[in-house]
Amino acid sequence: MDFKLTDEQVARRNEFFEVCGELEKKKPANFSGIESIYDSDEGWQYHLNCAKEFAKRGWIALGWPSEYGGQGSVMDRVFFAEARGYYDTPGVDIFGVAMLAPTLLGAGSEEMKREFLPKIAAAEIMFCELWSEPNAGSDLAALTTTALRDGDEYVLNGQKTWSTGAHRSDWAFALVRTDPHAETKHRGLTFLMFDMKTPGITVKPILYMDRGHLYNEVFFDDARVPVKYVVGEENKGWGVTQLLAGFERSSLDAIMMMRRQLEGLVEYCNETKVGGELLAKNPIIRNRIAELACQVEAARALAYRVADQQAKNEMGAIDASAVKVFAGDLSARLARLGADILGPYGQVRSSKWAPLEGFYEKQYQQYFILTVSMGTNEIQRNIIAWYGLGLPRMR
Ligand SMILES: Cc1cc2nc3c(=O)[nH]c(=O)nc-3n(C[C@H](O)[C@H](O)[C@H](O)COP(=O)(O)OP(=O)(O)OC[C@H]3O[C@@H](n4cnc5c(N)ncnc54)[C@H](O)[C@@H]3O)c2cc1C
């Protein structure tokens, strides 16, 4: 791919950065990304306000075909993600916009595209992802939540877990077992959407170690949902899931967030003296920062490559997995570097005494998230080894 941006692309990219920079000024105190969106009413309201602003500009539907309200190109979507990541601006429902919408465009019926894409583009409807279960995470096809057909409805029974934001979401997309007698566990699964207010669905919080509420368990007790909201075909949900996973793993905003964090660390080292000497003059710190700066740029280039492939409808599962592994490991290295540089100050919670707004106190506890969610890094490495490099498959 050609990495040089056209003048038009540079102007467009600047526009995204300007608007997100303005929205950043309206951020509630102590706002910090996805956690604040789901955990606090104030954060959720800020998320909705940003979403309305983006929807008004048509930016939620960047790169979609114009018949579904889309505008701009896939590369615009990339620049927009970079800007949001850099300023840690919410306003884009990662599940509805970044995952479900491209999946519907690829595998949804015309009726479903016409019903849901405009609502997603207008930020009228927010989604959660109900895949994982207590005994089905990496081995997702082992899931046991059943959806048995009864006329025009499925009757759902079972349990999902780690459901991010399920307590705030209007709708869900889920993977469920519609044929318990299928020959292999990957068959007999269906990708289904439904309203989270459906009677028989109960959402219970799983509190984070700092008591934050992002994750949930979701229980189904004879919940009846319409058959018409199957994406793709009944019993062929595994393929749809794989399509969605590629979109899920290729996001650029996390990488741009790291770039901003690295800038913050550089600033801190340039201003802070330890033992009478600026941290920025310490050769070990300089070395580690420089090394991470190279890795952030490499991650960005990888993510650009995946976006370019998406634009050409040539996205391979391996490339999205490579971005995911690299970005996940990078977030861990960055958190460790921040904690090392800040020393004891890295343990100060967000307050007026906390350097860098207490970011690393949280980040050090949470850096593993990117290495587990969206399919663990071990599993991504298995995909790369088996699928990408032709090494024997390990079970
Ligand atoms: C912050 C967060 C948010 C999440 N949000 C959602 C969500 O919104 N919706 C949703 O459906 N799920 C969500 N998940 C669940 C996530 O997808 C699973 O945690 C993940 O797939 C791993 O499954 P598991 O936790 O059951 O671990 P397991 O599958 O039990 O794995 C445990 C360990 O064994 C390793 N392992 C397992 N199998 C292999 C193998 N074959 N080869 C090598 N190593 C292996 C894993 O890499 C891991 O280190 C979220 C998870 C986290 C941490």
Side-chain angles (χ1 to χ4, degrees):
M1 93 175 258
D2 181 1
F3 281 87
K4 192 169 179 303
L5 305 185
T6 63
D7 291 348
E8 203 184 320
Q9 284 177 320
V10 170
R12 193 80 165 128
R13 192 170 180 274
N14 288 344
E15 193 187 350
F16 296 131
F17 273 77
E18 260 166 46
V19 171
C20 290
E22 282 305 309
L23 286 170
E24 191 198 29
K25 294 176 190 155
K26 298 176 187 163
K27 229 176 231 185
N30 299 332
F31 181 90
S32 160
I34 189 164
E35 182 168 331
S36 311
I37 296 176
Y38 293 121
D39 186 40
S40 79
D41 292 343
E42 214 185 358
W44 181 249
Q45 193 52 52
Y46 176 56
H47 171 58
L48 296 182
N49 293 347
C50 293
K52 288 291 171 198
E53 179 64 36
F54 295 147
K56 195 176 77 189
R57 292 168 182 271
W59 290 358
I60 290 181
L62 287 171
W64 298 5
S66 54
E67 64 263 39
Y68 305 114
Q71 59 154 283
S73 64
V74 171
M75 284 316 284
D76 286 333
R77 191 157 78 210
V78 170
F79 303 143
F80 181 44
E82 283 190 290
R84 283 186 291 103
Y86 188 80
Y87 289 108
D88 194 12
T89 318
V92 168
D93 171 25
I94 50 167
F95 298 108
V97 180
M99 301 178 202
L100 181 65
T103 305
L104 283 178
L105 283 165
S109 66
E110 192 54 33
E111 213 179 344
M112 285 178 88
K113 288 182 205 171
R114 299 230 171 254
E115 179 170 349
F116 288 99
L117 292 175
K119 287 184 194 161
I120 295 173
E124 281 171 9
I125 177 171
M126 303 284 168
F127 282 86
C128 59
E129 177 187 61
L130 305 184
W131 287 9
S132 307
E133 297 185 1
N135 293 311
S138 300
D139 187 11
L140 183 60
L143 65 87
T144 56
T145 295
T146 50
L148 301 181
R149 196 153 175 176
D150 181 18
D152 290 342
E153 293 179 325
Y154 288 116
V155 184
L156 268 62
N157 281 291
Q159 181 196 344
K160 297 289 176 181
T161 193
W162 302 121
S163 320
T164 309
H167 57 303
R168 301 256 180 208
S169 310
D170 307 297
W171 273 64
F173 57 85
L175 194 63
V176 290
R177 191 163 294 285
T178 35
D179 180 2
H181 308 295
E183 253 173 57
T184 66
K185 61 183 179 181
H186 292 82
R187 297 194 189 148
L189 298 173
T190 298
F191 189 107
L192 185 62
M193 293 163 56
F194 45 80
D195 191 330
M196 284 297 284
K197 289 187 293 301
T198 306
I201 298 181
T202 310
V203 179
K204 291 189 181 166
I206 301 176
L207 293 187
Y208 202 68
M209 62 175 109
D210 67 1
R211 313 300 294 160
H213 182 192
L214 280 85
Y215 312 111
N216 303 275
E217 294 175 295
V218 178
F219 296 86
F220 303 100
D221 188 10
D222 284 336
R224 301 184 83 88
V225 303
V227 165
K228 68 175 180 173
Y229 294 130
V230 167
V231 181
E233 287 176 48
E234 187 177 76
N235 295 331
K236 293 198 176 157
W238 190 250
V240 183
T241 307
Q242 297 313 297
L243 178 67
L244 188 141
F247 297 117
E248 185 179 29
R249 289 170 191 152
S250 56
S251 130
L252 241 174
D253 41 359
I255 294 163
M256 284 309 280
M257 226 181 267
M258 292 184 226
R259 195 187 221 203
R260 176 90 182 259
Q261 287 150 15
L262 198 66
E263 285 174 12
L265 274 180
V266 169
E267 213 176 301
Y268 180 77
C269 292
N270 273 328
E271 288 169 352
T272 311
K273 285 186 175 171
V274 172
E277 176 129 356
L278 268 184
L279 285 174
K281 289 192 174 170
N282 178 314
I284 295 173
I285 290 180
R286 291 165 67 92
N287 200 308
R288 283 183 69 189
I289 289 185
E291 206 173 313
L292 270 188
C294 298
Q295 291 169 6
V296 169
E297 284 315 301
R300 188 163 164 244
L302 259 178
Y304 260 61
R305 185 180 131 93
V306 170
D308 188 55
Q309 289 169 330
Q310 275 181 18
K312 295 176 187 153
N313 272 332
E314 291 172 0
M315 191 176 71
I318 307 129
D319 299 291
S321 293
V323 179
K324 206 263 156 187
V325 168
F326 198 66
D329 287 350
L330 188 56
S331 81
R333 284 193 291 272
L334 183 61
R336 283 191 218 113
L337 175 65
D340 286 350
I341 289 178
L342 291 168
Y345 297 109
Q347 295 172 38
V348 184
R349 286 204 140 196
S350 182
S351 73
K352 65 178 175 177
W353 293 285
L356 298 171
E357 299 177 355
F359 176 80
Y360 286 94
E361 187 270 336
K362 240 182 202 343
Q363 189 63 8
Y364 195 75
Q365 293 180 56
Q366 298 188 353
Y367 70 70
F368 71 90
I369 288 178
L370 266 184
T371 67
V372 177
S373 59
M374 301 181 271
T376 67
N377 277 8
E378 290 77 26
I379 296 299
Q380 303 314 311
R381 287 192 182 95
N382 278 348
I383 293 174
I384 295 167
W386 167 57
Y387 218 66
L389 304 175
L391 296 173
R393 185 173 189 187
M394 304 293 283
R395 292 192 182 264

